[in-house]
């Protein structure tokens, strides 16, 4: 993460909103989060408020 010029996280809706055991970076370290349309709109709003650009595809 420290050596990269840009960090992009790809996570479908089943990975949003829960706390996972394994982590490799903090959300605030991400430049962009890409998720699917199944993600709850409230979760998307909260994610956008935490820093990364959020794309829903």
């Amino acid at each position: 993460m420290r050596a990269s010029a840009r960090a992009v996280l790809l996570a479908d809706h089943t990975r949003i909103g829960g706390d996972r055991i394994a982590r490799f970076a903090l959300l605030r370290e991400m430049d962009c989060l890409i998720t699917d349309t199944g993600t709850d709109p409230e979760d998307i709003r909260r994610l956008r408020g935490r820093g990364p650009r959020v794309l829903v595809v």
Side-chain angles (χ1 to χ4, degrees):
M1 291 294 300
R2 284 183 231 134
S4 66
R6 187 171 174 193
V8 177
L9 174 63
L10 177 62
D12 73 14
H13 70 277
T14 64
R15 301 294 181 189
I16 305 292
D19 193 20
R20 305 291 181 235
I21 294 171
R23 288 192 179 136
F24 66 92
L26 299 173
L27 184 60
R28 68 177 176 255
E29 295 176 297
M30 295 295 117
D31 296 302
C32 182
L33 166 65
I34 302 171
T35 190
D36 65 294
T37 57
T39 304
D40 185 293
E42 183 62 23
D43 286 334
I44 293 169
R45 186 190 65 74
R46 278 193 297 266
L47 289 165
R48 285 184 171 140
R50 294 185 68 193
R53 179 177 179 203
V54 179
L55 299 175
V56 180
V57 294

